[in-house]
Amino acid sequence: ATYSIIALLCREGALSASNSAYSSDIKKILPALSYNDENFAQDITLDDVARLQNLNPSYFCRVFKRASGSSFVDYLNFVRICKSEKMLATSEKSILEIACDVGFSSLSYYNRIFKRYKNCTPTEYRRAHYENS
């Protein structure tokens, strides 16, 4: 999936909202990107993030999609999967513990989302990482 080059660049500070055609949309979603990065392990809802920015949830969804190229939930899941990759590669925790640590409340949902983004299961990912180290 093509994910949010603009959002990633903004989140990492490589792109400022002032030099983009989508600058007003990017400015509106930057707080959500920061909030996701800081609170990914918590139960984050669209309503909560929209409320933090004093925006209507459906309007926030449209703006987020336009600026980042993905839905808010897809982006949140992407952040969580990226965080879990590091944990799978560097910790001895069980996959269930890692799923919970990054904010997933269901192991089966975590496995499904992980496979969608990484084309393998967390177990396969961990095994491949250890074989290559």
Side-chain angles (χ1 to χ4, degrees), residues 43-74:
D43 183 22
I44 300 174
T45 67
L46 171 66
D47 288 342
D48 292 339
V49 176
R51 193 176 312 114
L52 283 173
Q53 297 177 240
N54 295 316
L55 297 173
N56 173 288
S58 61
Y59 175 71
F60 174 77
C61 277
R62 284 193 308 275
V63 170
F64 196 92
K65 177 83 171 180
R66 204 169 42 227
S68 72
S70 69
S71 74
F72 172 75
V73 172
D74 285 345

PDB file of all heavy atoms in Angstrom, residues 43-74:
ATOM      1  N   ASP A  43      -5.872   3.415  23.539  1.00  0.00           N
ATOM      2  CA  ASP A  43      -7.076   3.270  22.734  1.00  0.00           C
ATOM      3  C   ASP A  43      -7.373   4.636  22.117  1.00  0.00           C
ATOM      4  O   ASP A  43      -7.841   5.536  22.801  1.00  0.00           O
ATOM      5  CB  ASP A  43      -8.236   2.797  23.609  1.00  0.00           C
ATOM      6  CG  ASP A  43      -9.502   2.548  22.823  1.00  0.00           C
ATOM      7  OD1 ASP A  43      -9.413   2.323  21.600  1.00  0.00           O
ATOM      8  OD2 ASP A  43     -10.590   2.594  23.428  1.00  0.00           O
ATOM      9  N   ILE A  44      -7.053   4.800  20.849  1.00  0.00           N
ATOM     10  CA  ILE A  44      -7.237   6.077  20.154  1.00  0.00           C
ATOM     11  C   ILE A  44      -8.441   5.949  19.235  1.00  0.00           C
ATOM     12  O   ILE A  44      -8.499   5.052  18.408  1.00  0.00           O
ATOM     13  CB  ILE A  44      -5.996   6.444  19.318  1.00  0.00           C
ATOM     14  CG1 ILE A  44      -4.758   6.574  20.206  1.00  0.00           C
ATOM     15  CG2 ILE A  44      -6.234   7.725  18.532  1.00  0.00           C
ATOM     16  CD1 ILE A  44      -3.466   6.783  19.437  1.00  0.00           C
ATOM     17  N   THR A  45      -9.387   6.872  19.368  1.00  0.00           N
ATOM     18  CA  THR A  45     -10.540   6.857  18.480  1.00  0.00           C
ATOM     19  C   THR A  45     -10.512   8.090  17.586  1.00  0.00           C
ATOM     20  O   THR A  45      -9.927   9.121  17.935  1.00  0.00           O
ATOM     21  CB  THR A  45     -11.874   6.851  19.254  1.00  0.00           C
ATOM     22  OG1 THR A  45     -12.015   8.095  19.944  1.00  0.00           O
ATOM     23  CG2 THR A  45     -11.939   5.686  20.239  1.00  0.00           C
ATOM     24  N   LEU A  46     -11.155   7.957  16.469  1.00  0.00           N
ATOM     25  CA  LEU A  46     -11.275   9.065  15.537  1.00  0.00           C
ATOM     26  C   LEU A  46     -11.947  10.255  16.210  1.00  0.00           C
ATOM     27  O   LEU A  46     -11.512  11.396  16.061  1.00  0.00           O
ATOM     28  CB  LEU A  46     -12.081   8.620  14.314  1.00  0.00           C
ATOM     29  CG  LEU A  46     -12.481   9.702  13.341  1.00  0.00           C
ATOM     30  CD1 LEU A  46     -11.262  10.298  12.672  1.00  0.00           C
ATOM     31  CD2 LEU A  46     -13.429   9.149  12.314  1.00  0.00           C
ATOM     32  N   ASP A  47     -12.998   9.995  16.971  1.00  0.00           N
ATOM     33  CA  ASP A  47     -13.704  11.070  17.665  1.00  0.00           C
ATOM     34  C   ASP A  47     -12.781  11.822  18.620  1.00  0.00           C
ATOM     35  O   ASP A  47     -12.833  13.051  18.687  1.00  0.00           O
ATOM     36  CB  ASP A  47     -14.908  10.526  18.438  1.00  0.00           C
ATOM     37  CG  ASP A  47     -16.048  10.109  17.530  1.00  0.00           C
ATOM     38  OD1 ASP A  47     -16.077  10.537  16.351  1.00  0.00           O
ATOM     39  OD2 ASP A  47     -16.916   9.347  17.999  1.00  0.00           O
ATOM     40  N   ASP A  48     -11.939  11.092  19.337  1.00  0.00           N
ATOM     41  CA  ASP A  48     -11.010  11.729  20.277  1.00  0.00           C
ATOM     42  C   ASP A  48     -10.041  12.661  19.557  1.00  0.00           C
ATOM     43  O   ASP A  48      -9.820  13.795  19.979  1.00  0.00           O
ATOM     44  CB  ASP A  48     -10.194  10.675  21.044  1.00  0.00           C
ATOM     45  CG  ASP A  48     -11.046   9.853  21.995  1.00  0.00           C
ATOM     46  OD1 ASP A  48     -12.142  10.305  22.371  1.00  0.00           O
ATOM     47  OD2 ASP A  48     -10.596   8.731  22.351  1.00  0.00           O
ATOM     48  N   VAL A  49      -9.464  12.188  18.465  1.00  0.00           N
ATOM     49  CA  VAL A  49      -8.475  12.989  17.748  1.00  0.00           C
ATOM     50  C   VAL A  49      -9.144  14.190  17.085  1.00  0.00           C
ATOM     51  O   VAL A  49      -8.611  15.300  17.118  1.00  0.00           O
ATOM     52  CB  VAL A  49      -7.712  12.131  16.719  1.00  0.00           C
ATOM     53  CG1 VAL A  49      -6.759  12.971  15.902  1.00  0.00           C
ATOM     54  CG2 VAL A  49      -6.947  11.033  17.427  1.00  0.00           C
ATOM     55  N   ALA A  50     -10.314  13.987  16.505  1.00  0.00           N
ATOM     56  CA  ALA A  50     -11.038  15.106  15.889  1.00  0.00           C
ATOM     57  C   ALA A  50     -11.393  16.144  16.949  1.00  0.00           C
ATOM     58  O   ALA A  50     -11.257  17.350  16.724  1.00  0.00           O
ATOM     59  CB  ALA A  50     -12.297  14.597  15.188  1.00  0.00           C
ATOM     60  N   ARG A  51     -11.805  15.679  18.116  1.00  0.00           N
ATOM     61  CA  ARG A  51     -12.171  16.591  19.208  1.00  0.00           C
ATOM     62  C   ARG A  51     -10.956  17.385  19.680  1.00  0.00           C
ATOM     63  O   ARG A  51     -11.074  18.570  19.987  1.00  0.00           O
ATOM     64  CB  ARG A  51     -12.770  15.796  20.373  1.00  0.00           C
ATOM     65  CG  ARG A  51     -13.453  16.659  21.401  1.00  0.00           C
ATOM     66  CD  ARG A  51     -14.128  15.871  22.524  1.00  0.00           C
ATOM     67  NE  ARG A  51     -14.949  14.765  22.061  1.00  0.00           N
ATOM     68  CZ  ARG A  51     -14.680  13.464  22.292  1.00  0.00           C
ATOM     69  NH1 ARG A  51     -13.616  13.115  22.994  1.00  0.00           N
ATOM     70  NH2 ARG A  51     -15.470  12.521  21.853  1.00  0.00           N
ATOM     71  N   LEU A  52      -9.802  16.747  19.739  1.00  0.00           N
ATOM     72  CA  LEU A  52      -8.572  17.451  20.137  1.00  0.00           C
ATOM     73  C   LEU A  52      -8.301  18.643  19.225  1.00  0.00           C
ATOM     74  O   LEU A  52      -7.704  19.621  19.635  1.00  0.00           O
ATOM     75  CB  LEU A  52      -7.367  16.515  20.064  1.00  0.00           C
ATOM     76  CG  LEU A  52      -7.204  15.504  21.173  1.00  0.00           C
ATOM     77  CD1 LEU A  52      -6.064  14.555  20.848  1.00  0.00           C
ATOM     78  CD2 LEU A  52      -6.949  16.203  22.500  1.00  0.00           C
ATOM     79  N   GLN A  53      -8.730  18.530  17.982  1.00  0.00           N
ATOM     80  CA  GLN A  53      -8.482  19.583  17.010  1.00  0.00           C
ATOM     81  C   GLN A  53      -9.727  20.426  16.733  1.00  0.00           C
ATOM     82  O   GLN A  53      -9.725  21.234  15.812  1.00  0.00           O
ATOM     83  CB  GLN A  53      -7.958  18.948  15.724  1.00  0.00           C
ATOM     84  CG  GLN A  53      -6.625  18.265  15.977  1.00  0.00           C
ATOM     85  CD  GLN A  53      -6.097  17.572  14.763  1.00  0.00           C
ATOM     86  OE1 GLN A  53      -5.901  16.377  14.787  1.00  0.00           O
ATOM     87  NE2 GLN A  53      -5.871  18.308  13.702  1.00  0.00           N
ATOM     88  N   ASN A  54     -10.748  20.204  17.528  1.00  0.00           N
ATOM     89  CA  ASN A  54     -12.011  20.934  17.368  1.00  0.00           C
ATOM     90  C   ASN A  54     -12.579  20.810  15.955  1.00  0.00           C
ATOM     91  O   ASN A  54     -13.040  21.792  15.368  1.00  0.00           O
ATOM     92  CB  ASN A  54     -11.849  22.414  17.739  1.00  0.00           C
ATOM     93  CG  ASN A  54     -11.517  22.588  19.194  1.00  0.00           C
ATOM     94  OD1 ASN A  54     -12.117  21.950  20.051  1.00  0.00           O
ATOM     95  ND2 ASN A  54     -10.550  23.434  19.480  1.00  0.00           N
ATOM     96  N   LEU A  55     -12.522  19.601  15.417  1.00  0.00           N
ATOM     97  CA  LEU A  55     -13.055  19.341  14.090  1.00  0.00           C
ATOM     98  C   LEU A  55     -14.153  18.286  14.164  1.00  0.00           C
ATOM     99  O   LEU A  55     -14.106  17.403  15.021  1.00  0.00           O
ATOM    100  CB  LEU A  55     -11.952  18.847  13.142  1.00  0.00           C
ATOM    101  CG  LEU A  55     -10.809  19.806  12.858  1.00  0.00           C
ATOM    102  CD1 LEU A  55      -9.726  19.103  12.038  1.00  0.00           C
ATOM    103  CD2 LEU A  55     -11.308  21.043  12.125  1.00  0.00           C
ATOM    104  N   ASN A  56     -15.085  18.366  13.249  1.00  0.00           N
ATOM    105  CA  ASN A  56     -16.104  17.340  13.111  1.00  0.00           C
ATOM    106  C   ASN A  56     -15.397  16.060  12.625  1.00  0.00           C
ATOM    107  O   ASN A  56     -14.560  16.129  11.724  1.00  0.00           O
ATOM    108  CB  ASN A  56     -17.136  17.833  12.082  1.00  0.00           C
ATOM    109  CG  ASN A  56     -18.151  16.795  11.739  1.00  0.00           C
ATOM    110  OD1 ASN A  56     -17.843  15.820  11.062  1.00  0.00           O
ATOM    111  ND2 ASN A  56     -19.368  17.020  12.184  1.00  0.00           N
ATOM    112  N   PRO A  57     -15.725  14.893  13.202  1.00  0.00           N
ATOM    113  CA  PRO A  57     -15.033  13.652  12.806  1.00  0.00           C
ATOM    114  C   PRO A  57     -15.090  13.354  11.301  1.00  0.00           C
ATOM    115  O   PRO A  57     -14.078  12.946  10.722  1.00  0.00           O
ATOM    116  CB  PRO A  57     -15.746  12.570  13.613  1.00  0.00           C
ATOM    117  CG  PRO A  57     -16.255  13.281  14.815  1.00  0.00           C
ATOM    118  CD  PRO A  57     -16.632  14.662  14.329  1.00  0.00           C
ATOM    119  N   SER A  58     -16.226  13.563  10.662  1.00  0.00           N
ATOM    120  CA  SER A  58     -16.287  13.256   9.231  1.00  0.00           C
ATOM    121  C   SER A  58     -15.445  14.250   8.422  1.00  0.00           C
ATOM    122  O   SER A  58     -14.799  13.867   7.445  1.00  0.00           O
ATOM    123  CB  SER A  58     -17.726  13.203   8.732  1.00  0.00           C
ATOM    124  OG  SER A  58     -18.360  14.435   8.905  1.00  0.00           O
ATOM    125  N   TYR A  59     -15.417  15.500   8.839  1.00  0.00           N
ATOM    126  CA  TYR A  59     -14.569  16.500   8.169  1.00  0.00           C
ATOM    127  C   TYR A  59     -13.097  16.144   8.380  1.00  0.00           C
ATOM    128  O   TYR A  59     -12.288  16.187   7.447  1.00  0.00           O
ATOM    129  CB  TYR A  59     -14.868  17.902   8.703  1.00  0.00           C
ATOM    130  CG  TYR A  59     -13.960  18.961   8.140  1.00  0.00           C
ATOM    131  CD1 TYR A  59     -14.064  19.369   6.810  1.00  0.00           C
ATOM    132  CD2 TYR A  59     -12.977  19.553   8.929  1.00  0.00           C
ATOM    133  CE1 TYR A  59     -13.211  20.329   6.282  1.00  0.00           C
ATOM    134  CE2 TYR A  59     -12.132  20.506   8.416  1.00  0.00           C
ATOM    135  CZ  TYR A  59     -12.249  20.892   7.094  1.00  0.00           C
ATOM    136  OH  TYR A  59     -11.396  21.843   6.570  1.00  0.00           O
ATOM    137  N   PHE A  60     -12.749  15.778   9.612  1.00  0.00           N
ATOM    138  CA  PHE A  60     -11.382  15.383   9.917  1.00  0.00           C
ATOM    139  C   PHE A  60     -10.956  14.207   9.030  1.00  0.00           C
ATOM    140  O   PHE A  60      -9.841  14.201   8.500  1.00  0.00           O
ATOM    141  CB  PHE A  60     -11.240  15.019  11.405  1.00  0.00           C
ATOM    142  CG  PHE A  60      -9.896  14.461  11.739  1.00  0.00           C
ATOM    143  CD1 PHE A  60      -8.797  15.295  11.872  1.00  0.00           C
ATOM    144  CD2 PHE A  60      -9.718  13.100  11.914  1.00  0.00           C
ATOM    145  CE1 PHE A  60      -7.533  14.773  12.164  1.00  0.00           C
ATOM    146  CE2 PHE A  60      -8.472  12.577  12.203  1.00  0.00           C
ATOM    147  CZ  PHE A  60      -7.386  13.411  12.335  1.00  0.00           C
ATOM    148  N   CYS A  61     -11.837  13.228   8.859  1.00  0.00           N
ATOM    149  CA  CYS A  61     -11.534  12.069   8.005  1.00  0.00           C
ATOM    150  C   CYS A  61     -11.212  12.491   6.581  1.00  0.00           C
ATOM    151  O   CYS A  61     -10.240  12.010   5.990  1.00  0.00           O
ATOM    152  CB  CYS A  61     -12.717  11.102   7.961  1.00  0.00           C
ATOM    153  SG  CYS A  61     -12.769   9.992   9.334  1.00  0.00           S
ATOM    154  N   ARG A  62     -12.021  13.380   6.032  1.00  0.00           N
ATOM    155  CA  ARG A  62     -11.792  13.849   4.662  1.00  0.00           C
ATOM    156  C   ARG A  62     -10.458  14.588   4.552  1.00  0.00           C
ATOM    157  O   ARG A  62      -9.684  14.357   3.616  1.00  0.00           O
ATOM    158  CB  ARG A  62     -12.936  14.756   4.204  1.00  0.00           C
ATOM    159  CG  ARG A  62     -14.195  14.025   3.840  1.00  0.00           C
ATOM    160  CD  ARG A  62     -15.186  14.910   3.108  1.00  0.00           C
ATOM    161  NE  ARG A  62     -15.489  16.165   3.771  1.00  0.00           N
ATOM    162  CZ  ARG A  62     -16.406  16.331   4.722  1.00  0.00           C
ATOM    163  NH1 ARG A  62     -17.123  15.291   5.132  1.00  0.00           N
ATOM    164  NH2 ARG A  62     -16.618  17.521   5.254  1.00  0.00           N
ATOM    165  N   VAL A  63     -10.193  15.461   5.502  1.00  0.00           N
ATOM    166  CA  VAL A  63      -8.949  16.229   5.489  1.00  0.00           C
ATOM    167  C   VAL A  63      -7.750  15.293   5.645  1.00  0.00           C
ATOM    168  O   VAL A  63      -6.750  15.416   4.935  1.00  0.00           O
ATOM    169  CB  VAL A  63      -8.949  17.312   6.592  1.00  0.00           C
ATOM    170  CG1 VAL A  63      -7.583  17.950   6.767  1.00  0.00           C
ATOM    171  CG2 VAL A  63     -10.003  18.363   6.296  1.00  0.00           C
ATOM    172  N   PHE A  64      -7.849  14.352   6.562  1.00  0.00           N
ATOM    173  CA  PHE A  64      -6.750  13.416   6.805  1.00  0.00           C
ATOM    174  C   PHE A  64      -6.458  12.610   5.548  1.00  0.00           C
ATOM    175  O   PHE A  64      -5.298  12.461   5.150  1.00  0.00           O
ATOM    176  CB  PHE A  64      -7.087  12.482   7.975  1.00  0.00           C
ATOM    177  CG  PHE A  64      -5.891  11.765   8.510  1.00  0.00           C
ATOM    178  CD1 PHE A  64      -5.166  12.296   9.560  1.00  0.00           C
ATOM    179  CD2 PHE A  64      -5.461  10.565   7.952  1.00  0.00           C
ATOM    180  CE1 PHE A  64      -4.038  11.654  10.050  1.00  0.00           C
ATOM    181  CE2 PHE A  64      -4.337   9.915   8.427  1.00  0.00           C
ATOM    182  CZ  PHE A  64      -3.627  10.462   9.480  1.00  0.00           C
ATOM    183  N   LYS A  65      -7.483  12.107   4.909  1.00  0.00           N
ATOM    184  CA  LYS A  65      -7.325  11.309   3.689  1.00  0.00           C
ATOM    185  C   LYS A  65      -6.699  12.148   2.567  1.00  0.00           C
ATOM    186  O   LYS A  65      -5.790  11.700   1.875  1.00  0.00           O
ATOM    187  CB  LYS A  65      -8.687  10.753   3.259  1.00  0.00           C
ATOM    188  CG  LYS A  65      -8.684   9.963   1.986  1.00  0.00           C
ATOM    189  CD  LYS A  65      -8.278   8.557   2.237  1.00  0.00           C
ATOM    190  CE  LYS A  65      -8.482   7.725   0.984  1.00  0.00           C
ATOM    191  NZ  LYS A  65      -8.115   6.371   1.168  1.00  0.00           N
ATOM    192  N   ARG A  66      -7.182  13.359   2.415  1.00  0.00           N
ATOM    193  CA  ARG A  66      -6.667  14.248   1.368  1.00  0.00           C
ATOM    194  C   ARG A  66      -5.190  14.576   1.602  1.00  0.00           C
ATOM    195  O   ARG A  66      -4.382  14.582   0.680  1.00  0.00           O
ATOM    196  CB  ARG A  66      -7.509  15.522   1.348  1.00  0.00           C
ATOM    197  CG  ARG A  66      -7.521  16.257   0.061  1.00  0.00           C
ATOM    198  CD  ARG A  66      -8.557  17.359  -0.006  1.00  0.00           C
ATOM    199  NE  ARG A  66      -8.686  18.155   1.197  1.00  0.00           N
ATOM    200  CZ  ARG A  66      -9.855  18.457   1.767  1.00  0.00           C
ATOM    201  NH1 ARG A  66     -10.989  18.035   1.260  1.00  0.00           N
ATOM    202  NH2 ARG A  66      -9.893  19.200   2.858  1.00  0.00           N
ATOM    203  N   ALA A  67      -4.818  14.833   2.836  1.00  0.00           N
ATOM    204  CA  ALA A  67      -3.448  15.245   3.153  1.00  0.00           C
ATOM    205  C   ALA A  67      -2.465  14.081   3.213  1.00  0.00           C
ATOM    206  O   ALA A  67      -1.306  14.230   2.838  1.00  0.00           O
ATOM    207  CB  ALA A  67      -3.423  16.003   4.474  1.00  0.00           C
ATOM    208  N   SER A  68      -2.922  12.927   3.684  1.00  0.00           N
ATOM    209  CA  SER A  68      -1.978  11.835   3.923  1.00  0.00           C
ATOM    210  C   SER A  68      -2.093  10.691   2.926  1.00  0.00           C
ATOM    211  O   SER A  68      -1.187   9.873   2.830  1.00  0.00           O
ATOM    212  CB  SER A  68      -2.176  11.277   5.331  1.00  0.00           C
ATOM    213  OG  SER A  68      -3.384  10.551   5.401  1.00  0.00           O
ATOM    214  N   GLY A  69      -3.202  10.596   2.237  1.00  0.00           N
ATOM    215  CA  GLY A  69      -3.379   9.495   1.292  1.00  0.00           C
ATOM    216  C   GLY A  69      -3.886   8.219   1.927  1.00  0.00           C
ATOM    217  O   GLY A  69      -4.011   7.205   1.256  1.00  0.00           O
ATOM    218  N   SER A  70      -4.158   8.243   3.220  1.00  0.00           N
ATOM    219  CA  SER A  70      -4.715   7.071   3.889  1.00  0.00           C
ATOM    220  C   SER A  70      -5.762   7.516   4.891  1.00  0.00           C
ATOM    221  O   SER A  70      -5.807   8.673   5.274  1.00  0.00           O
ATOM    222  CB  SER A  70      -3.614   6.276   4.599  1.00  0.00           C
ATOM    223  OG  SER A  70      -3.102   6.985   5.700  1.00  0.00           O
ATOM    224  N   SER A  71      -6.566   6.562   5.310  1.00  0.00           N
ATOM    225  CA  SER A  71      -7.549   6.895   6.335  1.00  0.00           C
ATOM    226  C   SER A  71      -6.843   7.010   7.682  1.00  0.00           C
ATOM    227  O   SER A  71      -5.729   6.505   7.863  1.00  0.00           O
ATOM    228  CB  SER A  71      -8.641   5.823   6.405  1.00  0.00           C
ATOM    229  OG  SER A  71      -8.144   4.656   7.030  1.00  0.00           O
ATOM    230  N   PHE A  72      -7.502   7.643   8.632  1.00  0.00           N
ATOM    231  CA  PHE A  72      -6.923   7.799   9.962  1.00  0.00           C
ATOM    232  C   PHE A  72      -6.635   6.433  10.592  1.00  0.00           C
ATOM    233  O   PHE A  72      -5.553   6.204  11.134  1.00  0.00           O
ATOM    234  CB  PHE A  72      -7.864   8.619  10.850  1.00  0.00           C
ATOM    235  CG  PHE A  72      -7.430   8.662  12.276  1.00  0.00           C
ATOM    236  CD1 PHE A  72      -6.363   9.455  12.647  1.00  0.00           C
ATOM    237  CD2 PHE A  72      -8.049   7.882  13.232  1.00  0.00           C
ATOM    238  CE1 PHE A  72      -5.929   9.476  13.974  1.00  0.00           C
ATOM    239  CE2 PHE A  72      -7.626   7.908  14.545  1.00  0.00           C
ATOM    240  CZ  PHE A  72      -6.565   8.696  14.920  1.00  0.00           C
ATOM    241  N   VAL A  73      -7.576   5.516  10.497  1.00  0.00           N
ATOM    242  CA  VAL A  73      -7.409   4.190  11.101  1.00  0.00           C
ATOM    243  C   VAL A  73      -6.274   3.432  10.419  1.00  0.00           C
ATOM    244  O   VAL A  73      -5.456   2.791  11.092  1.00  0.00           O
ATOM    245  CB  VAL A  73      -8.727   3.382  11.049  1.00  0.00           C
ATOM    246  CG1 VAL A  73      -8.515   1.947  11.491  1.00  0.00           C
ATOM    247  CG2 VAL A  73      -9.791   4.051  11.915  1.00  0.00           C
ATOM    248  N   ASP A  74      -6.195   3.505   9.090  1.00  0.00           N
ATOM    249  CA  ASP A  74      -5.095   2.839   8.383  1.00  0.00           C
ATOM    250  C   ASP A  74      -3.744   3.417   8.814  1.00  0.00           C
ATOM    251  O   ASP A  74      -2.778   2.679   9.011  1.00  0.00           O
ATOM    252  CB  ASP A  74      -5.249   2.977   6.870  1.00  0.00           C
ATOM    253  CG  ASP A  74      -6.326   2.080   6.298  1.00  0.00           C
ATOM    254  OD1 ASP A  74      -6.768   1.140   6.992  1.00  0.00           O
ATOM    255  OD2 ASP A  74      -6.743   2.328   5.148  1.00  0.00           O
TER     256      ASP A  74
END
